[in-house]
């Protein structure tokens, strides 16, 4: 095992770019990579992690070691060396496993248990894959090393409450790979320990601790041609602040207003029906341009409420564009009221049925937190489904639709001027601030139409992506690829 470890070359069969080479050549105990999306951080993170393990083996760490007499009967033997790969959740930890499976040679593996989330290397070296969803579960014996992927998405106690102490027991090392998520604990507690990087934090705040080494690069630094085409497409379509954060890996790009792309003089239009049976509308755009627009389908977004308003938004869809055309905004209105004759009285079900008769919606994406209400709506034949409630990705999707595209000079999302509550809340929807720093977390206020809008637009996008993948699989199964 030791002789094999000495012979292995983590660069074998790998063509790194310059920034990745610099990482591999670094010998600092704690290596922090703050990078743009698709910049190759996880790719190099796996190789740096494995290279550090090889260095520990070569240095004879964990010796002398007395192995158990019968390993097959000992379910959890004490390893000679133990390492953890930590991700925000187990789904993301699969990416770490995939990357490491491309790096660790088969002859070094004694047992790779994917369902058990661990790998035994020969010589009693253990690698575990851990989720940071519940940091309290990250309690264990001392560790020789840890790799935290997408660390900025984790809770601060993941490091300060647990992993830092586990590494201190054995003087272990750490590797960090992430794209920034604003000026959060990762920026304040981890990045600022090392040397200055031009990522949007004040230069005089860096501690220059020699045990910590920062690496910084953007998505543009990964030279793969096909990747760069995708990156350029993202730059052209993503809202500016997401480009700065996710492509150029800047920390300080989120400001007060959630939808800062929204501009009444650009996005607010007059919409009048011409023929509802044909879904034909007359639209007057800012600047006076008039067009007839035929919607191919309608979708809805629903936010539950009582003291807070209950909201239903109706959205008309063309091939690429979305138009918010009508809103229901009700305080203290029951979901269902049925009189003694079994007929509906004024309630949300009745109001929404009237909406759906006027605008037959393919689907209404609803806040998933009230499954009982969703079941009631479905009982009355309203096409309500629980939405995937991913706030960050959902906001990014809506922001991308509000962005004015260079190619067309237009956005892909418009709001009817008659939607007074939606327009007001869009302008007032803000991010939280803490000690003068803007957090990437919206204030729980002026968000009722905004949640409904996000449910509809984000989940519609997810369904489009899913249908495209299904069609690709069908084409491939029929031999349709040329």
């Amino acid at each position: 095992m030791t002789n094999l470890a000495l012979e292995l070359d983590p660069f074998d069969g790998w063509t790194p770019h310059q920034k990745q080479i610099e990482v591999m050549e670094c010998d600092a105990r704690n290596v922090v990579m703050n990078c743009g999306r698709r910049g190759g951080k996880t790719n190099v993170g796996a190789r740096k992690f494995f290279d550090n393990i090889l260095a520990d083996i070569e240095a004879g760490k964990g010796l002398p070691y007395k192995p158990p007499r019968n390993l097959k009967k000992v379910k959890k033997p004490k390893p000679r060396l133990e390492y953890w790969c930590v991700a925000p959740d187990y789904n993301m930890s699969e990416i770490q496993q995939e990357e490491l499976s491309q790096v660790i040679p088969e002859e070094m593996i004694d047992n790779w248990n994917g369902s058990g989330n661990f790998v035994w290397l020969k010589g009693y070296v253990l690698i575990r894959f851990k989720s940071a969803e519940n940091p309290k579960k990250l309690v264990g014996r001392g560790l020789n090393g840890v790799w935290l992927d997408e660390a900025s998405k984790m809770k601060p106690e993941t490091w300060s409450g647990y992993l830092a102490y586990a590494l201190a027991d054995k003087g272990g090392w750490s590797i960090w790979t992430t794209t920034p998520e604003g000026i959060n604990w990762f920026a304040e507690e981890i990045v600022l320990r090392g040397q200055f990087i031009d990522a949007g934090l004040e230069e005089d705040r860096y501690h220059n601790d020699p045990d910590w080494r920062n690496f910084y690069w953007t998505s543009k630094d990964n030279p793969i041609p096909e990747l760069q085409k995708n990156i350029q497409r993202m730059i052209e379509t993503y809202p500016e602040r997401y480009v700065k954060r996710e492509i150029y890996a800047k920390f300080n790009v989120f400001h007060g207003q959630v939808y800062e792309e929204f501009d009444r003089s650009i996005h607010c239009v007059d919409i009048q029906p011409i023929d509802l049976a044909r879904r034909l509308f007359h639209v007057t755009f800012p600047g006076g341009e008039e067009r007839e627009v035929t919607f191919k389908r309608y979708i809805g977004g629903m936010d539950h409420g009582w003291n807070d308003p209950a909201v239903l938004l109706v959205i008309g869809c063309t091939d690429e564009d979305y138009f918010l055309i009508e809103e229901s905004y009700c305080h203290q209105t029951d979901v269902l009221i049925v009189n003694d004759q079994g007929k509906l009285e004024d309630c949300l079900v009745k109001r929404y049925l009237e909406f759906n008769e006027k605008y037959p919606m393919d689907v209404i994406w609803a806040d998933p937190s009230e499954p009982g209400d969703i079941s009631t709506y479905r009982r009355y034949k309203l096409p309500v489904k629980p939405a995937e409630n991913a706030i960050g990705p959902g906001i990014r999707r809506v922001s991308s639709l509000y962005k004015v595209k260079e190619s067309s000079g237009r956005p892909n999302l418009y709001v009817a001027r008659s939607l007074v509550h939606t327009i007001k809340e869009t302008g007032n929807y803000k991010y939280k601030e803490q000690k003068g720093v803007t957090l990437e977390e919206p204030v729980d206020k002026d968000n009722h139409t905004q949640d409904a809008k996000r449910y509809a637009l984000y989940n519609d996008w997810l369904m489009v992506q899913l249908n495209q993948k299904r069609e690709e699989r069908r084409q491939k199964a029929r031999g349709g690829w040329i």
Side-chain angles (χ1 to χ4, degrees):
M1 164 67 176
T2 303
N3 291 336
L4 175 62
L6 291 174
E7 296 171 3
L8 290 172
D9 178 8
F11 285 92
D12 186 40
W14 178 48
T15 306
H17 59 66
Q18 183 57 41
K19 300 289 186 179
Q20 292 173 320
I21 293 173
E22 293 173 8
V23 169
M24 295 301 295
E25 292 176 345
C26 174
D27 59 1
R29 189 159 69 92
N30 304 284
V31 175
V32 181
M33 289 170 260
N34 180 72
C35 314
R37 287 180 62 184
R38 306 300 302 279
K41 60 185 182 298
T42 307
N43 180 267
V44 69
R47 285 164 172 79
K48 184 64 176 174
F49 177 76
F50 179 56
D51 195 39
N52 281 6
I53 292 175
L54 295 179
D56 285 351
I57 294 171
E58 181 181 353
K61 290 187 177 180
L63 297 176
Y65 174 78
K66 185 177 181 180
R69 292 183 178 179
N70 193 334
L71 185 60
K72 293 182 179 179
K73 289 186 178 181
V74 180
K75 293 183 179 180
K76 293 184 178 181
K78 181 180 179 181
R80 170 192 162 191
L81 299 169
E82 182 170 351
Y83 305 91
W84 283 7
C85 298
V86 184
D89 56 47
Y90 277 117
N91 287 332
M92 297 182 78
S93 78
E94 291 178 0
I95 298 173
Q96 291 178 301
Q97 292 204 45
E98 291 169 3
E99 288 289 347
L100 281 173
S101 71
Q102 302 298 314
V103 178
I104 302 176
E106 189 173 342
E107 56 266 34
M108 277 190 69
I109 300 170
D110 186 58
N111 178 20
W112 193 309
N113 190 317
S115 59
N117 293 301
F118 66 82
V119 182
W120 277 101
L121 303 182
K122 292 177 181 177
Y124 305 100
V125 176
L126 176 62
I127 300 172
R128 291 189 182 275
F129 298 93
K130 294 284 188 175
S131 164
E133 284 186 287
N134 185 352
K136 291 181 180 179
K137 292 184 177 181
L138 297 174
V139 176
R141 58 176 69 92
L143 299 174
N144 298 94
V146 63
W147 170 24
L148 300 94
D149 191 37
E150 294 300 346
S152 60
K153 296 181 184 296
M154 300 177 191
K155 298 175 183 177
E157 57 267 31
T158 301
W159 173 254
S160 60
Y162 299 96
L163 294 180
Y165 292 106
L167 291 173
D169 288 349
K170 294 185 176 180
W173 43 263
S174 68
I175 294 169
W176 305 69
T177 51
T178 194
T179 297
E181 291 281 330
I183 304 177
N184 61 1
W185 73 273
F186 171 73
E188 299 280 356
E189 298 180 25
I190 304 302
V191 175
L192 289 178
R193 292 191 186 201
Q195 301 75 33
F196 172 72
I197 54 174
D198 188 17
L201 301 174
E202 296 89 344
E203 186 171 359
D204 60 0
R205 299 183 62 200
Y206 284 82
H207 299 164
N208 293 308
D209 186 334
D211 280 342
W212 292 78
R213 175 68 192 276
N214 285 328
F215 290 90
Y216 165 72
W217 67 85
T218 75
S219 305
K220 302 285 285 183
D221 290 310
N222 192 340
I224 300 173
E226 188 59 35
L227 174 63
Q228 284 307 312
K229 290 180 183 178
N230 293 331
I231 295 300
Q232 188 58 38
R233 195 176 302 120
M234 292 167 67
I235 291 172
E236 292 171 359
T237 58
Y238 270 34
E240 186 64 24
R241 65 188 187 277
Y242 286 98
V243 170
K244 288 181 179 178
R245 188 188 72 180
E246 300 191 15
I247 305 301
Y248 295 106
K250 300 290 187 180
F251 287 101
N252 61 336
V253 294
F254 277 75
H255 306 292
Q257 187 175 342
V258 173
Y259 295 120
E260 62 181 24
E261 298 81 13
F262 177 73
D263 186 333
R264 294 189 186 207
S265 67
I266 295 173
H267 299 96
C268 292
V269 297
D270 292 309
I271 302 178
Q272 297 296 330
I274 298 174
D275 186 341
L276 285 175
R278 295 165 53 203
R279 300 193 182 107
L280 179 62
F281 288 74
H282 181 273
V283 181
T284 304
F285 292 87
E289 179 192 355
E290 298 182 29
R291 275 194 287 156
E292 289 187 358
V293 176
T294 301
F295 296 124
K296 292 193 170 183
R297 57 195 173 91
Y298 299 115
I299 60 173
M302 178 188 292
D303 192 41
H304 310 293
W306 175 255
N307 289 324
D308 287 333
V311 173
L312 175 62
L313 295 180
V314 180
I315 303 173
C317 312
T318 66
D319 284 329
E320 295 182 346
D321 296 335
Y322 296 88
F323 292 76
L324 278 62
I325 57 180
E326 196 153 347
E327 67 181 7
S328 172
Y329 195 91
C330 310
H331 287 277
Q332 297 185 345
T333 305
D334 290 303
V335 171
L336 180 64
I337 303 176
V338 181
N339 63 22
D340 295 338
Q341 287 75 43
K343 293 185 178 181
L344 289 172
E345 295 188 354
D346 185 41
C347 61
L348 293 178
V349 168
K350 184 177 181 180
R351 296 185 188 189
Y352 295 169
L353 282 170
E354 293 170 353
F355 260 44
N356 199 50
E357 184 177 356
K358 185 177 180 181
Y359 310 105
M361 288 171 271
D362 288 359
V363 60
I364 300 172
W365 294 106
D367 179 351
S369 67
E370 297 291 345
D373 288 350
I374 292 174
S375 178
T376 298
Y377 293 126
R378 292 179 64 86
R379 196 163 68 246
Y380 282 84
K381 309 303 180 184
L382 283 163
V384 180
K385 292 184 179 181
E388 168 62 44
N389 183 17
I391 296 177
I395 288 174
R396 181 171 62 210
R397 173 59 182 163
V398 176
S399 298
S400 297
L401 293 171
Y402 274 133
K403 179 176 179 176
V404 176
K405 310 304 186 293
E406 290 184 10
S407 57
S408 64
R410 294 176 177 272
N412 295 115
L413 177 58
Y414 297 94
V415 184
R417 294 186 193 280
S418 58
L419 274 60
V420 293
H421 298 290
T422 300
I423 293 171
K424 178 182 177 182
E425 288 191 353
T426 303
N428 291 338
Y429 195 32
K430 307 289 185 182
Y431 282 118
K432 290 181 180 179
E433 285 196 8
Q434 182 176 316
K435 297 180 180 179
V437 175
T438 301
L439 307 178
E440 194 183 345
E441 180 182 350
V443 177
D444 188 14
K445 181 182 178 183
D446 295 311
N447 60 347
H448 315 295
T449 61
Q450 304 310 295
D451 287 348
K453 175 174 61 179
R454 187 181 77 248
Y455 299 145
L457 297 175
Y458 178 59
N459 283 270
D460 189 65
W461 178 78
L462 290 178
M463 290 303 298
V464 169
Q465 303 302 306
L466 179 62
N467 290 335
Q468 287 178 348
K469 290 179 180 179
R470 286 173 176 168
E471 181 58 29
E472 288 174 1
R473 286 197 293 268
R474 282 195 292 267
Q475 290 281 350
K476 191 172 184 179
R478 292 196 297 262
W481 298 110
I482 298 175

